[in-house]
Amino acid sequence: MNKDIATPVRTKEIMQKYGFSFKKSLGQNFLIDPNILQNIVGHAGLTKDHGAIEIGPGIGALTEHLARASKKVIAFEIDQRLLPILDDTLSPYDNIKILHQDVLKADVQQVMTEEFADVEDVMVVANLPYYVTTPIILKLLLEDLPIKGLVVMLQKEVADRIAAKPGTKNYGSLSIAIQYYTEASTVMIVPKTVFIPQPNVDSAVIKLVKREKPPVEVTNEDFFFTVTRSSFAQRRKTILNNLTSQLPNGKEKKEDILKALEQAGIEPSRRGESLSIPEFADLANALYPYFS
């Protein structure tokens, strides 16, 4: 067994050897606890028939655990300074490919077609850079990639919002967007003490399992998401006030909005956070004819 990268001593040795310094702008925080990495990989349920996609491998701490558990790992790394380090730290493994690309600009579908022809399922497993967590998750879901799901570490506060249930303060349009495509659950809380440098906040690992199909039927997906975002524009406002001020020509169409609310069986005085995903679907479907 190779000596784990993710120990405080080994991490410091690697950084000194290469004179590496953290870039705050890239949200770099390296994990220094192998047990936590093993747990993360465990939650992904990888086997030797699986492929894994990693985003932001850093110096390879999680990457090597993924390589041990799966058939092949593809990792996207944006920071050129890390490429020679990864080349060195991951040299014992022959089933890892590092792509020097920004995952937000990458054609992930194309990469998967080229790299994962001989694997059964693919999971995304990553310690995501905090400043781009949401755009990365949404990109991977909206592009409808052939992945089974994601197990990702992110800021605890964002994880709380993603997994939130209706009627709670964390529930919002992000919860709905992600739960529309996946079943979301928080599987681990990770203290800030197991990173260098230490972030200011605790982290959480969230597991997102892709649904076969969304939990609700909507006439138009884009409009459904417009309605959910509009409903949370100002959390203290009622659903009627938010929709009137946020939807195109909403003020002129207030009567139509009231009709749609009645048709969907939703009191105009309710707030967005009290509506379940099926209620939002009914509301968006009732509103759509007036705004299409």
Side-chain angles (χ1 to χ4, degrees):
M1 186 61 94
N2 297 300
K3 201 165 79 168
D4 276 341
I5 294 167
T7 62
V9 172
R10 180 95 197 275
T11 301
K12 283 176 184 151
E13 274 172 10
I14 293 165
M15 292 182 64
Q16 276 166 351
K17 178 178 174 182
Y18 285 91
F20 183 81
S21 56
F22 293 98
K23 261 194 189 163
K24 214 171 179 175
S25 64
L26 294 177
Q28 289 169 333
N29 301 91
F30 295 167
L31 261 165
I32 48 172
D33 186 327
N35 294 332
I36 286 176
L37 291 167
Q38 244 164 326
N39 270 342
I40 292 171
V41 175
H43 283 296
L46 296 168
T47 72
K48 280 297 179 187
D49 296 319
H50 285 120
I53 292 175
E54 188 188 7
I55 295 145
I59 56 172
L62 175 60
T63 325
E64 71 173 350
H65 284 267
L66 292 172
R68 290 171 194 165
S70 68
K71 187 168 190 174
K72 185 171 191 182
V73 184
I74 300 295
F76 291 87
E77 179 51 65
I78 197 171
D79 187 351
Q80 196 163 0
R81 302 172 307 151
L82 287 164
L83 303 180
I85 304 180
L86 288 162
D87 224 25
D88 174 11
T89 59
L90 299 174
S91 57
Y93 305 94
D94 60 2
N95 59 340
I96 299 170
K97 185 167 185 178
I98 307 290
L99 300 176
H100 178 221
Q101 290 180 32
D102 176 352
V103 76
L104 287 171
K105 295 176 187 155
D107 186 341
V108 183
Q109 189 90 40
Q110 176 75 28
V111 169
M112 290 184 72
T113 306
E114 287 169 9
E115 302 293 344
F116 289 131
D118 59 344
V119 302
E120 263 177 31
D121 278 315
V122 177
M123 286 292 284
V124 174
V125 189
N127 168 19
L128 291 176
Y130 289 166
Y131 73 108
V132 283
T133 301
T134 308
I136 289 173
I137 294 174
L138 288 173
K139 173 190 161 96
L140 297 174
L141 295 177
L142 291 167
E143 290 184 1
D144 197 21
L145 301 167
I147 56 174
K148 193 176 175 189
L150 300 88
V151 174
V152 290
M153 176 143 55
L154 30 80
Q155 250 170 301
K156 182 177 176 297
E157 168 201 342
V158 180
D160 290 345
R161 281 167 50 209
I162 286 173
K165 298 281 176 270
T168 62
K169 69 173 173 42
N170 285 314
Y171 179 71
S173 54
L174 180 66
S175 328
I176 296 164
I178 292 181
Q179 291 173 35
Y180 180 82
Y181 293 107
T182 70
E183 288 181 49
S185 56
T186 300
V187 292
M188 276 168 73
I189 304 299
V190 182
K192 51 191 171 195
T193 49
V194 298
F195 294 92
I196 53 174
Q198 270 192 36
N200 301 326
V201 291
D202 285 338
S203 302
V205 176
I206 197 155
K207 183 171 185 172
L208 305 172
V209 181
K210 268 186 84 174
R211 297 178 186 273
E212 290 283 311
K213 61 181 203 294
V216 289
E217 279 190 36
V218 295
T219 317
N220 180 292
E221 272 187 8
D222 288 342
F223 185 70
F224 168 72
F225 290 124
T226 299
V227 169
T228 60
R229 277 196 304 274
S230 303
S231 304
F232 290 95
Q234 289 186 280
R235 292 187 77 95
R236 302 176 77 91
K237 280 190 170 182
T238 64
I239 187 107
L240 174 63
N241 286 344
N242 267 327
L243 293 173
T244 308
S245 65
Q246 298 295 317
L247 290 177
N249 305 322
K251 289 187 177 61
E252 293 90 90
K253 295 188 177 183
K254 190 170 183 176
E255 287 309 310
D256 296 334
I257 294 172
L258 277 164
K259 272 186 241 167
L261 284 161
E262 189 181 0
Q263 195 188 324
I266 292 162
E267 285 291 325
S269 59
R270 285 175 66 183
R271 287 184 181 161
E273 69 208 47
S274 74
L275 273 70
S276 64
I277 295 180
E279 285 181 305
F280 271 117
D282 291 345
L283 176 57
N285 292 345
L287 282 165
Y288 187 63
Y290 299 112
F291 288 89
S292 56

